Amino acid sequence: MAGSTLHDGTTPLNAAPNQTSDDAHGYYTAGDPIADPVAPTGPIKDRWTNRKFENRLVNPANRRKLDIIIVGTGLAGGAAAATLGEAGYNVKSFCYQDSPRRAHSIAAQGGINAAKNYKEDGDSTFRLFYDTVKGGDYRSRESNVYRLAEVSANIIDQCVAQGVPFAREYGGLLDNRSFGGVQVSRTFYARGQTGQQLLIGAYQAMERQVAAGTVEQFTRHEMLELIVVDGKARGIIARDMVTGEIETHLADVVVLATGGYGNVFFLSTNAMGSNVTAAWRAHRKGAYMANPCYTQIHPTCIPVSGEHQSKLTLMSESLRNDGRIWVPKKKEDCTKDPRDIPEEDRDYYLERIYPSFGNLVPRDIASRAAKYMCDEGRGVGPMVGDFRRGVYLDFSDAIQRLGEDAVREKYDNLFDMYERITGENPYQVPMRIYPAVHYVMGGLWVDYHLQSNIPGLFVSGEANFSDHGANRLGASALMQGLADGYFVLPNTIRDYLADGPFEKVDESHEAVVEAKRAVQERIDKFLSINGTRSADSYHKELGNIMWEYCGMERTEDGLRKAIDMIRELKADFWTNLKVLGSADTLNQSLEKAGRVADFIELGELMCIDALNRRESCGGHFRAESQTDDGEALRHDEEFAYVAAWEWGGDSLEGGQPVLHKEDLIYTAIEMKQRSYK
Amino acid sequence: MNLTLKIWRQAGPSDKGGIHTYQVQGISEDMSFLEMLDVLNEQLNEKGEEPVAFDSDCREGICGTCSLMINGEAHGPEVTTTCQLHMRSFSDGDTITIEPWRAEPFSVIKDLIVDRSAFDRIIQSGGFISANTGSAPEANSVPAPRDKAMRAFNVATCIGCGACVAACPNGSASLFLGAKITHLGELPQGQPERYSRVVDMVGQHDHEGFGGCTNIGECASACPKEIPLDVISQLNKDLRTALKNGY
Amino acid sequence: MAVSGLLFIAFVLAHMYGNLKAFGGEDSFNTYAEHLREIGEPMLPHEGALWIIRIGLIVALVVHVACAVILWRRAAAARPVQYAVKKNTGSSLSSRTMRWGGLTLLVFIVWHLLNFTIVKVNPSSGETGDPDHNPYALMVDSFDLWWMTVIYLIAMLALGMHLHHGTFSSLQTLGWTNTATSRARARAAGWVVAIVIAGGFALVPLSVLVGIIEK
C-alpha cells in the first residue's frame, strides 16, 4: 500500500501493520479490524476546516430541546459544558467533587502548548503537529493531532478573554517558555499553576451558564452506569453521594470527560478520587477501551517516603529547564550529603547519554534512565525495598547563573511544596526526584468526532485514547482537554444531534430499569460481603502488582504473573471485602469499593494489552524490545495500530477481551525511529 | 509518635454530633495529616467502626477540597492546606482536636465534611468574564501591564477551600470574594463587568448568610495561598465606586 | 460604620486638644469652654454651632451603633455552632474586642455626659449643675478622686484599642488600603491615632491626680 495514492489524493507513507508475534495468546479473542468511520480525507491542513463545514448544524430554536449529559468538570468537561450551554443546549453536568472547580485538571503545573509562534523561533501548526506525533512515538492518528495543533492557538485567545492570568513580559504581552522534549518556546504558563488557572477559567464560564439556566450542575454525584437504549447512549445512572439516592438521568447524548485511570497504580499523581468507573461502566456496556497499557510515568515527582504514602506529588517538569539531574558516580557516595560530593564524582547521566537534549529528553526516557540508575544501586534518599529510589535535581548552577531571586520567581511554589513535603530546602540541598505514574494515554476509543463505538456516547480529554499516541509531550494535556471541550466536541456533537431530539425514553423503559437494578445490586453486594479487608487495602495491593509488572518496564513473564495475581486478587475482593456503614448516607468506603472493583478489572486488561504489544513505544517499554544500548525499539510493521478492546465478560467466568485493531496510516509524516541522542 | 485525636463525629445533617476521642500509634513524621487520618480509618474499619468522613482529593494543595479545623486553626498550624500539613509539625503525645468548618452557609454533611456550594453560587452571581467560546480576539491584541497581571495571578491562586470563612470570627467570606473581584478587576478583559460584578457578588454573599467583614484579618492569616487582606480593600473600593455610579 | 467612625476620630481629636487647655490653667480652659458655645456667633445663636456638632455626633452614633448591631447579628447568625477550640493567629486583640470595647465606651459616654455635660455631677461635693460655671473646677474636683481617674483611664484604654483597629478598619472599608504599603500605613495610623488620642486624654486626669494640674 505504501507509495500508492489513496482516493483522496494523499499518499500513505507506511504499510498496514501485520502482527506476527502473539504473546497474549490465550488471554484474548481476536476481533474484526476496525476503522474510524468518520475519518476525514484530503490535505491534512484542510481536514478540520472542511469537517466543520460538512458537519450538520442544529437550529438554535431546537437546541434547547436537546439534552446533553456531561460527566466530569475538568478542562474537557467544564469547557464543553460552558460552550454547549452558551450554544443553547440543555446541559446536565456531573462531578464527584463538591464543586466543578476541584477537578484534577487543577493540579497541572507547567503550562499549555499553542502554536502561536510569538517567539518567532520557527514554530508553526505543522511543527506542533509533528512534535506531538513524534513525541507520541507514531501511535496516534495524524488527523486528530493536526486538528489539536490547529485549534491550540484559539485556546490561548479564549483563555485570555476569560481572564486567565498568564505570565506576561514587561511590555504586557504573553510570555512563553520551552517545555520538556521540544526546542521551541510555545508553552504559555501561569507560574507553576497553569492547570488551576485554566480550570478556573472554564469553571467560571460554566458557572456563568449555570446562572443563565443552560447548565444544571450536579456535584457530589458519581456516575455508576451508562444507559444504552436501542444501541444508543441515552443517559446515566448516578448516585447522589450525600443522600445515597440512585438517580436516573436521561438525555439525547452522553459525554464522558472523566479523566484518566492512573490510580490503578494506587500511588500516582492523580487525585484521591480520580477513577475509571464511568469509563469502565461504559466499556462493559460495549465501548471499546483503546491502548490501555500506554501509561505515562512522569520523571520529576517527589520520591516515596514510606509505607503510609497515599499519593505522589508531581514537580512540574519545567524544573528540568534549569535543574540538572545527577546521581553519584560511586555507590558509596549515595548516603553522603550531596553538597559534599565533588563535581568530578557526579554523573549527570542525561547530559552524558543524550548530549543534544540533555535534561530535556522526553518523559519516558528521563523516567527509565532514573530507574536504571537506581537499579544500579546509585539512587539516593531513603531505601524503598532493596533500593534507594531517587536522583538529584540540582539548581545550584541555575542559582549561580541567574541568582536566587530569578529562580524563586520562576519556581517558588514548587520549591515551597517540595520543602513542605520533604522538610528539605531545595535552594540549599538538591531536590530528590523519582518517576511516578502521571497520565494515561489510553482510554475509551473514539472516532474523529470523539464519538465512541456506542452512538451517542462521546468521550473527551484524558478519558479518550486521545491524541497523544504512546506518549504525551509536556504541556499537551491541558491543550487537548481544552481543545476537545471548547472547540472539537461542540463542532462534532452537533452533527449527531442534528438527528435529534431522539425518541423519548421513559424511566420505566426496560433498559433503564435494568441499569438501575444492576447498580443497586452491586451496592448491596459490597455492603453484604462482610469480609475482613478494606477496599483501600485491595487497591494498595493492586497498585503494587501494577507498578512492579506493568510499570516503567514490562516483560512477558512479569505480565503473565501479574495477570494471575490480579485474578486471585479479584476473587478475594468479591469474597472478603469489608464495607461498613449504609448505602443511604455519605459513605466513602462504599464509593471506594466500587472504584477499586473497576480498577482491578482494568488492571487485568492493561496487562493483557501490554503483553500483546511486544514492542516498546512511548510510555510502554517491553524489555524484550530494545536496542543494543537499551533504547526503546518500536515494531511498526507489527504494531502500528490502535488496540481497541471490547469487553468479553468476566475472566473469572471464562470471559476474554476481544481485540479490534485500527491501523495507523500516515500521509503527512513519515515514521521514524525516535532518537534523542 | 502516638497521638490522641478528638474528632467531631456527626452521622448526618440532622444529627446533633459531638467530639469523640481516639488514639493512634506509630505515626511517622513524614506522613501527611490526612495520611494519619487514613491510618485511623483503617484501624476503625478493622474494629468494625465506621471510618471518619473527611474531604480530600488532590492531596497536593491545589484543589481546595480538604478542610479541617485543627487545634482551632483552619488547615492547622502551618500556612498550607491540611493535605500538605505533615506530622513533623506535631510532637509525640499531642492531643489534636479536629472539627469541621463552622459557618451557617457551610452546613455539616457528615463528620468533618461540609457543604460549600455557596461559593459556587457566589461565582454564578458574577465571578466570571462573559466571553463566549469563539468570540475571543487574538490573545496579544490587548496587552496587560505586567504588575497588574501579576497581582491578578497572585490573588487568582485562591483555591476556594473556605478557610477564610472558617477562621473569620464573623463567618465572612470577604477574602474569597475580594480575591475574585481583584483577579478579574485587575485585567483589561475584566473591566466591562467590573462594577456590576462586585455589586452582584456582594449581594449573593450576603444572601448566602455569610457574616460582614470587620477587617479583623484572621482570614488572611488562615489562607493557605496567602491571599492578602488588601483584596478586601479592593473589594470595598470597587463596591464604593459601583454604588457611586449607580450600579 | 467607617464614615461615622472617622467622624468620631475627628471629634475626639478636637476634644482631646481642648482638654489639653487644662495645662494652660483655669482661665485658658474655661475660656475655651465658653468659646465653644460662641462659635459662629452672631450668625448662629448661642450654642448653635455646638448643637449642630452635637446633632451630628448623635446621628453618627446612631449610625455607628446600628451598623454594629447589624454586623453583630450577622456574625452570630453566620456561626450558630461554635468551635470547641479556636485560636486567633492573625488578628489584634483590639480587632476582636471592637464590640465589647464599643459597649464599654457607650456606657462610659453616658457617665461622662452626666459628669460633665448634662447633670454636671461633681463627685467630690455631690453638687450638680456646676453652679459656679467653672468647668475647670469641676474637672479638677472629679479627677482628684482616684477612682474617677481609674474609670477614665480604663475608658481611655478602651478608646485606644477601639481607635487602634477602628482607624485601620475604616481606611480598609473605604478601600484605601489596596497595597501592602498603604495597608502598613493604615496600620501605623491606627497606632498613632490610638496613642495620641488616648494618651492625650489620659494626661489630664493623671496630671490632676498627681497634682500637676490643680485649682
Side-chain angles (χ1 to χ4, degrees):
Chain A
M1 200 157 102
S4 65
T5 304
L6 298 178
H7 63 89
D8 61 5
T10 51
T11 310
L13 299 171
N14 62 298
N18 178 25
Q19 187 177 346
T20 50
S21 66
D22 196 13
D23 283 6
H25 180 76
Y27 289 101
Y28 77 103
T29 311
D32 297 331
I34 53 169
D36 178 351
V38 292
T41 53
I44 196 153
K45 65 177 178 38
D46 300 329
R47 287 179 190 172
W48 178 233
T49 309
N50 292 342
R51 182 52 53 90
K52 278 192 288 186
F53 177 73
E54 291 154 14
N55 279 352
R56 292 167 296 164
L57 299 170
V58 178
N59 181 327
N62 280 340
R63 293 180 196 163
R64 71 182 81 96
K65 297 179 203 148
L66 290 160
D67 299 325
I68 301 176
I69 284 175
I70 302 178
V71 187
T73 59
L75 292 184
T83 306
L84 292 166
E86 287 159 9
Y89 297 100
N90 258 330
V91 178
K92 280 183 172 182
S93 159
F94 293 81
C95 65
Y96 73 78
Q97 297 91 342
D98 74 328
S99 164
R101 68 178 293 152
R102 313 231 188 265
H104 199 57
S105 304
I106 205 161
Q109 297 169 356
I112 175 165
N113 286 332
K116 282 281 198 186
N117 194 26
Y118 282 161
K119 294 279 180 186
E120 193 58 33
D121 56 1
D123 199 13
S124 62
T125 298
F126 196 88
R127 189 176 297 280
L128 175 55
F129 157 64
Y130 178 83
D131 286 346
T132 307
V133 170
K134 179 185 170 215
D137 239 357
Y138 306 94
R139 290 293 175 267
S140 47
R141 279 194 206 126
E142 62 177 8
S143 300
N144 292 47
V145 179
Y146 194 89
R147 175 177 65 189
L148 176 65
E150 193 178 334
V151 302
S152 66
N154 305 98
I155 296 172
I156 303 302
D157 298 343
Q158 183 61 32
C159 293
V160 166
Q162 286 170 349
V164 171
F166 284 120
R168 287 175 183 270
E169 294 171 337
Y170 284 100
L173 301 178
L174 293 159
D175 193 18
N176 295 116
R177 60 185 176 197
S178 91
F179 213 73
V182 293
Q183 288 162 314
V184 291
S185 286
R186 64 161 73 104
T187 304
F188 294 77
Y189 65 101
R191 195 89 51 93
Q193 283 149 265
T194 317
Q196 180 198 27
Q197 295 309 318
L198 296 176
L199 182 68
I200 287 176
Y203 159 71
Q204 288 171 183
M206 175 178 152
E207 294 303 299
R208 173 174 163 245
Q209 291 311 305
V210 173
T214 59
V215 175
E216 193 180 354
Q217 135 184 336
F218 296 83
T219 59
R220 292 195 194 271
H221 273 67
E222 183 163 30
M223 168 182 161
L224 294 177
E225 194 56 275
L226 178 73
I227 297 170
V228 180
V229 177
D230 300 331
K232 287 195 181 98
R234 293 302 305 272
I236 62 169
I237 306 286
R239 179 170 179 270
D240 179 331
M241 293 155 71
V242 174
T243 64
E245 198 182 330
I246 306 299
E247 302 171 349
T248 304
H249 296 274
L250 298 166
D252 294 287
V253 65
V254 177
V255 179
L256 299 187
T258 50
Y261 48 77
N263 267 350
V264 68
F265 290 87
F266 185 72
L267 285 182
S268 80
T269 65
N270 283 4
M272 301 304 287
S274 302
N275 67 81
V276 75
T277 290
W280 196 254
R281 295 288 111 196
H283 173 60
R284 290 185 57 134
K285 277 279 166 95
Y288 297 164
M289 181 63 90
N291 300 332
C293 79
Y294 291 161
T295 311
Q296 182 164 82
I297 315 275
H298 198 288
T300 51
C301 298
I302 300 177
V304 174
S305 69
E307 270 301 301
H308 53 267
Q309 195 107 15
S310 61
K311 79 150 272 160
L312 295 170
T313 304
L314 173 98
M315 309 286 291
S316 164
E317 74 180 327
S318 62
L319 290 170
R320 287 201 278 148
N321 286 344
D322 288 307
R324 297 178 70 196
I325 295 173
W326 61 277
V327 291
K329 282 185 180 161
K330 293 180 271 186
K331 288 181 190 172
E332 58 270 26
D333 283 352
C334 291
T335 49
K336 276 194 191 161
D337 183 327
R339 289 168 294 184
D340 295 340
I341 302 173
E343 200 60 29
E344 63 270 21
D345 287 340
R346 300 176 176 193
D347 179 9
Y348 295 91
Y349 58 89
L350 289 177
E351 297 170 25
R352 171 170 59 83
I353 308 172
Y354 307 100
S356 65
F357 280 80
N359 294 300
L360 294 175
V361 290
R363 293 175 168 181
D364 57 316
I365 294 180
S367 297
R368 224 163 31 244
K371 176 186 190 307
Y372 294 151
M373 293 301 134
C374 296
D375 287 349
E376 278 179 28
R378 295 199 284 145
V380 294
M383 295 290 277
V384 179
D386 299 333
F387 295 96
R388 294 178 197 285
R389 294 281 173 204
V391 299
Y392 290 123
L393 177 61
D394 197 334
F395 285 87
S396 49
D397 275 9
I399 289 172
Q400 236 167 34
R401 193 177 69 241
L402 308 166
E404 190 170 317
D405 287 344
V407 172
R408 195 180 296 277
E409 185 176 326
K410 271 186 176 165
Y411 306 115
D412 64 344
N413 64 323
L414 301 173
F415 277 38
D416 290 351
M417 183 163 78
Y418 180 83
E419 185 169 4
R420 255 196 314 273
I421 293 173
T422 63
E424 290 170 10
N425 178 355
Y427 291 102
Q428 275 148 27
V429 192
M431 284 182 176
R432 284 176 295 110
I433 55 165
Y434 198 67
V437 173
H438 174 54
Y439 186 90
V440 291
M441 283 69 69
L444 291 173
W445 183 89
V446 289
D447 61 19
Y448 188 66
H449 287 185
L450 306 183
Q451 184 166 219
S452 73
N453 58 307
I454 300 178
L457 177 68
F458 288 74
V459 190
S460 63
E462 190 181 350
N464 69 28
F465 84 108
S466 88
D467 307 339
H468 305 296
N471 181 43
R472 178 176 65 75
L473 290 181
S476 286
L478 300 181
M479 173 173 69
Q480 185 222 339
L482 289 180
D484 286 1
Y486 284 133
F487 298 107
V488 179
L489 197 65
N491 274 307
T492 57
I493 209 168
R494 61 178 155 89
D495 192 59
Y496 180 77
L497 288 173
D499 288 329
F502 300 103
E503 196 185 337
K504 200 158 168 48
V505 178
D506 207 64
E507 285 214 20
S508 59
H509 189 284
E510 139 191 44
V512 180
V513 173
E514 168 55 25
K516 200 165 176 175
R517 191 191 56 75
V519 167
Q520 194 60 57
E521 244 172 39
R522 205 163 111 107
I523 288 173
D524 294 345
K525 173 75 177 165
F526 290 136
L527 287 164
S528 64
I529 298 172
N530 215 1
T532 60
R533 286 182 62 181
S534 68
D536 219 38
S537 78
Y538 284 105
H539 192 185
K540 219 174 242 188
E541 191 174 335
L542 173 70
N544 285 337
I545 298 169
M546 295 300 292
W547 186 233
E548 182 65 29
Y549 301 107
C550 199
M552 274 184 277
E553 186 176 274
R554 297 146 177 193
T555 65
E556 186 179 345
D557 291 346
L559 288 165
R560 285 177 195 281
K561 194 169 162 190
I563 294 167
D564 289 344
M565 290 169 84
I566 292 170
R567 286 179 181 173
E568 269 173 50
L569 189 73
K570 180 159 67 173
D572 192 62
F573 176 90
W574 286 103
T575 50
N576 198 20
L577 175 73
K578 181 176 181 178
V579 178
L580 296 168
S582 64
D584 57 2
T585 62
L586 188 143
N587 187 339
Q588 292 174 315
S589 309
L590 180 63
E591 294 159 17
K592 179 100 206 198
R595 295 171 192 170
V596 173
D598 292 334
F599 275 136
I600 293 175
E601 291 181 355
L602 165 75
E604 188 181 343
L605 182 66
M606 285 172 73
C607 291
I608 294 172
D609 185 42
L611 184 59
N612 172 61
R613 190 169 285 273
R614 193 188 175 89
E615 69 160 347
S616 299
C617 57
H620 168 65
F621 187 81
R622 278 286 296 270
E624 295 87 350
S625 180
Q626 51 183 312
T627 61
D628 291 341
D629 44 4
E631 281 303 305
L633 185 63
R634 288 198 328 261
H635 296 292
D636 297 333
E637 67 293 349
E638 277 197 81
F639 293 105
Y641 66 78
V642 175
W645 298 90
E646 182 183 352
W647 174 250
D650 188 340
S651 60
L652 294 182
E653 290 156 13
Q656 280 185 342
V658 181
L659 173 60
H660 301 276
K661 297 178 184 178
E662 179 201 335
D663 294 342
L664 291 168
I665 304 295
Y666 287 86
T667 61
I669 295 180
E670 199 174 343
M671 289 194 195
K672 285 197 180 116
Q673 199 68 243
R674 206 172 57 148
S675 172
Y676 283 91
K677 285 208 167 164
Chain B
M1 59 178 93
N2 301 328
L3 302 164
T4 304
L5 305 175
K6 294 178 134 182
I7 301 179
W8 181 267
R9 301 297 308 262
Q10 182 173 339
S14 52
D15 183 43
K16 197 161 160 281
I19 301 255
H20 289 231
T21 305
Y22 304 95
Q23 307 290 332
V24 283
Q25 280 90 31
I27 299 301
S28 123
E29 62 166 29
D30 287 329
M31 283 185 191
S32 71
F33 194 84
L34 296 179
E35 285 166 351
M36 183 274 293
L37 288 180
D38 291 342
V39 170
L40 170 71
N41 277 347
E42 195 66 22
Q43 276 177 23
L44 291 177
N45 198 63
E46 268 168 37
K47 281 198 293 189
E49 220 176 306
E50 214 183 315
V52 179
F54 61 89
D55 262 332
S56 84
D57 205 24
C58 78
R59 292 204 180 183
E60 50 188 89
I62 194 73
C63 74
T65 307
C66 65
S67 55
L68 306 187
M69 206 67 176
I70 300 167
N71 282 342
E73 293 181 69
H75 292 300
E78 314 286 342
V79 182
T80 186
T81 55
T82 295
C83 66
Q84 291 288 288
L85 177 66
H86 282 69
M87 295 312 289
R88 63 180 76 91
S89 300
F90 299 88
S91 322
D92 187 34
D94 278 0
T95 298
I96 305 174
T97 305
I98 309 170
E99 296 175 82
W101 287 168
R102 296 280 187 210
E104 177 62 18
F106 288 175
S107 56
V108 173
I109 293 173
K110 187 175 184 174
D111 294 341
L112 301 170
I113 297 182
V114 299
D115 177 4
R116 286 172 288 195
S117 54
F119 273 13
D120 285 341
R121 291 189 292 275
I122 290 177
I123 297 296
Q124 284 158 23
S125 71
F128 48 74
I129 291 171
S130 300
N132 280 5
T133 302
S135 63
E138 151 60 40
N140 257 349
S141 60
V142 186
R146 192 167 184 263
D147 53 339
K148 284 183 170 262
M150 291 267 269
R151 184 174 189 224
F153 169 78
N154 284 333
V155 298
T157 56
C158 168
I159 55 175
C161 64
C164 46
V165 176
C168 175
N170 292 315
S172 171
S174 290
L175 196 71
F176 169 78
L177 206 54
K180 190 47 66 195
I181 293 296
T182 308
H183 162 206
L184 300 177
E186 284 287 1
L187 296 169
Q189 292 80 7
Q191 299 312 311
E193 293 162 296
R194 181 168 181 176
Y195 296 110
S196 60
R197 175 185 306 125
V198 67
V199 172
D200 293 344
M201 288 180 77
V202 169
Q204 186 66 32
H205 168 275
D206 294 354
H207 175 75
E208 293 289 345
F210 290 106
C213 177
T214 60
N215 304 312
I216 290 175
E218 280 300 320
C219 52
S221 111
C223 176
K225 297 294 154 187
E226 302 178 74
I227 308 277
L229 208 54
D230 57 46
V231 299
I232 297 181
S233 183
Q234 185 72 57
L235 164 75
N236 291 329
K237 186 181 181 182
D238 283 13
L239 185 63
R240 182 162 50 87
T241 313
L243 295 176
K244 203 166 72 188
N245 292 307
Y247 279 94
Chain C
M1 186 123 212
V3 173
S4 55
L6 286 176
L7 208 68
F8 285 135
I9 291 175
F11 166 70
V12 287
L13 200 62
H15 186 351
M16 187 271 294
Y17 169 75
N19 285 13
L20 293 181
K21 294 273 180 196
F23 286 101
E26 189 166 347
D27 285 348
S28 158
F29 189 78
N30 284 352
T31 310
Y32 161 74
E34 188 49 37
H35 177 69
L36 279 183
R37 285 155 180 77
E38 292 163 1
I39 301 171
E41 283 183 45
M43 285 285 283
L44 295 169
H46 187 65
E47 295 197 351
L50 193 63
W51 273 107
I52 290 172
I53 293 171
R54 281 173 180 163
I55 287 166
L57 286 172
I58 290 167
V59 171
L61 185 70
V62 170
V63 169
H64 206 69
V65 170
C67 289
V69 169
I70 292 170
L71 280 167
W72 202 337
R73 290 179 60 168
R74 277 183 64 189
R79 180 156 303 131
V81 183
Q82 299 299 311
Y83 291 108
V85 181
K86 173 75 169 76
K87 279 186 199 149
N88 294 301
T89 55
S91 56
S92 58
L93 181 66
S94 60
S95 70
R96 297 192 305 272
T97 50
M98 290 301 272
R99 282 161 199 157
W100 292 108
L103 268 183
T104 309
L105 286 173
L106 199 61
V107 171
F108 165 74
I109 288 164
V110 170
W111 163 242
H112 179 61
L113 291 178
L114 291 175
N115 190 183
F116 287 116
T117 309
I118 303 172
V119 189
K120 301 187 180 167
V121 183
N122 185 328
S124 59
S125 64
E127 252 178 14
T128 58
D130 187 19
D132 305 332
H133 295 287
N134 187 346
Y136 183 80
L138 179 59
M139 176 195 71
V140 176
D141 282 347
S142 295
F143 293 137
D144 263 339
L145 296 170
W146 68 268
W147 55 269
M148 275 294 291
T149 303
V150 168
I151 290 177
Y152 272 78
L153 288 180
I154 292 173
M156 286 314 106
L157 183 69
L159 178 64
M161 287 176 65
H162 208 76
L163 288 174
H164 170 250
H165 181 66
T167 305
F168 163 75
S169 185
S170 54
L171 296 174
Q172 166 93 358
T173 300
L174 290 172
W176 291 331
T177 51
N178 280 312
T179 61
T181 326
S182 56
R183 208 163 71 248
R185 282 197 198 119
R187 294 263 188 218
W191 279 106
V192 170
V193 168
I195 291 170
V196 167
I197 292 179
F201 272 129
L203 274 182
V204 175
L206 277 174
S207 303
V208 173
L209 193 66
V210 300
I212 297 173
I213 295 176
E214 49 191 12
K215 277 205 242 186

